[in-house]
């Protein structure tokens, strides 16, 4: 059990560019979650995957955001045409059934 | 909708002393779970302690304990014998069920705990 892995750890991008983050959950966990944490706030729920199916999407997930989880393994979160307001830490978590989440260490996005 | 409020942005405690972090929440549900998470500089959210609302007994995990007051919707965390490694952001969280059959966490804004040597 190597935990939840997120890559990259930090990403700096220019406004208007596209960025993609990757999350590798714990191998036997079929549930995967993305959260966003802005400065001075707690994490906020973005989306949920059960295996490869995206079953929940928050209103925070605008049209510029897309998430995938092909084959029910790793997941990617893409942000198109980044804006300064997208600057935040993006956390991934995984779980199995109703057990507690295991969080990753996040990807910190800075849009300049 | 459920809400979680942490009114202490920052707290300090001397090493080996005791500190209490406050949290209040609002919900119309009668059965639910509450959590305290720790976020050190490494950024990973680490579960500290969990409380099930139907249990009257306050949860305890080693040096960490909670004071759960269901009627007052209050859920405070007490850290005894504070250690330098306890320094971190602490988030109070409410577990909210989703229609798809899973759940999400609703987090407060956090309390930064400083431990003074």
């Amino acid at each position: 059990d190597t935990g939840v892995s997120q890559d990259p750890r930090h990403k700096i991008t220019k406004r208007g560019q596209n960025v993609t983050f990757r999350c590798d959950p714990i191998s036997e966990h079929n549930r995967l979650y993305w959260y966003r944490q802005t400065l001075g706030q707690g994490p906020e729920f973005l989306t949920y995957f059960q295996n490869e199916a995206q079953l929940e999407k928050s209103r925070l997930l605008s049209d510029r955001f897309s998430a995938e989880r092909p084959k029910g393994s790793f997941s990617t979160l893409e942000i198109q045409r980044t804006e300064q307001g997208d600057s935040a830490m993006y956390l991934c978590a995984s779980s199995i059934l109703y057990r507690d989440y295991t969080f990753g260490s996040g990807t910190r996005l800075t849009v300049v | 909708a459920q809400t979680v409020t942490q009114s202490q942005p920052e707290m300090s405690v001397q090493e080996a002393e005791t500190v209490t972090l406050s949290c209040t929440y609002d919900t119309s549900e009668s059965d639910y779970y509450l959590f305290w998470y720790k976020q050190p500089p490494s950024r990973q959210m680490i579960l500290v302690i969990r409380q099930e609302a139907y249990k009257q007994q306050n949860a305890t995990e080693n040096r960490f304990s909670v004071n759960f007051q269901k009627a007052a919707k209050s859920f405070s965390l007490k850290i005894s014998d504070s250690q330098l490694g306890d320094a971190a952001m602490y988030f109070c969280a409410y577990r909210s069920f989703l229609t798809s059959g899973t759940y999400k966490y609703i987090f407060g804004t956090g309390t930064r705990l400083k431990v003074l040597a």
Side-chain angles (χ1 to χ4, degrees):
Chain A
D1 180 358
T2 56
V4 177
S5 176
Q6 291 190 247
D7 184 68
R9 187 167 172 81
H10 195 176
K11 177 73 175 179
I12 301 173
T13 190
K14 291 183 177 179
R15 190 173 50 189
Q17 296 293 305
N18 298 345
V19 294
T20 300
F21 313 138
R22 177 179 171 124
C23 171
D24 286 90
I26 292 173
S27 57
E28 63 266 28
H29 286 187
N30 64 335
R31 299 181 173 195
L32 187 145
Y33 310 82
W34 285 97
Y35 282 71
R36 183 176 72 183
Q37 185 177 13
T38 54
L39 198 62
Q41 300 295 318
E44 296 174 287
F45 173 78
L46 290 178
T47 190
Y48 158 63
F49 287 87
Q50 181 169 312
N51 299 312
E52 67 276 8
Q54 187 175 21
L55 299 184
E56 295 278 353
K57 290 174 67 173
S58 160
R59 286 174 296 177
L60 294 175
L61 215 63
S62 76
D63 292 344
R64 296 184 298 105
F65 287 69
S66 64
E68 294 183 340
R69 192 184 181 196
K71 302 179 182 178
S73 55
F74 69 92
S75 176
T76 58
L77 178 66
E78 181 183 17
I79 309 174
Q80 296 182 328
R81 305 180 303 282
T82 52
E83 302 172 356
Q84 286 193 320
D86 297 331
S87 294
M89 185 149 70
Y90 292 84
L91 291 167
C92 177
S94 68
S95 74
I96 187 166
L97 295 177
Y98 288 105
R99 294 191 181 173
D100 297 327
Y101 289 10
T102 299
F103 282 91
S105 296
T107 293
R108 187 180 301 281
L109 173 66
T110 303
V111 182
V112 298
Chain B
Q2 298 91 5
T3 60
V4 176
T5 301
Q6 293 180 253
S7 58
Q8 304 158 315
E10 189 173 294
M11 294 281 285
S12 295
V13 63
Q14 287 290 140
E15 200 174 2
E17 297 295 307
T18 296
V19 65
T20 298
L21 308 183
S22 301
C23 172
T24 58
Y25 62 94
D26 192 24
T27 183
S28 58
E29 297 175 336
S30 59
D31 191 19
Y32 47 86
Y33 287 73
L34 294 165
F35 301 79
W36 278 98
Y37 273 89
K38 169 184 178 181
Q39 188 177 42
S42 65
R43 307 178 338 193
Q44 184 181 17
M45 300 286 280
I46 300 167
L47 177 63
V48 175
I49 199 164
R50 176 200 303 110
Q51 175 76 45
E52 297 161 67
Y54 69 87
K55 289 187 176 180
Q56 293 186 340
Q57 187 172 8
N58 289 325
T60 299
E61 290 285 343
N62 301 313
R63 299 182 294 107
F64 300 87
S65 61
V66 299
N67 183 5
F68 174 50
Q69 302 290 327
K70 191 173 183 179
K73 294 181 180 174
S74 170
F75 183 60
S76 61
L77 174 69
K78 185 171 82 171
I79 305 174
S80 304
D81 185 26
S82 297
Q83 300 174 0
L84 294 177
D86 294 333
M89 282 291 289
Y90 285 81
F91 291 95
C92 179
Y94 178 101
R95 193 168 85 172
S96 175
F97 279 95
L98 298 170
T99 55
S100 58
T102 189
Y103 58 91
K104 68 177 182 181
Y105 290 109
I106 298 170
F107 289 92
T109 52
T111 296
R112 181 173 302 281
L113 178 66
K114 295 184 176 181
V115 180
L116 308 173

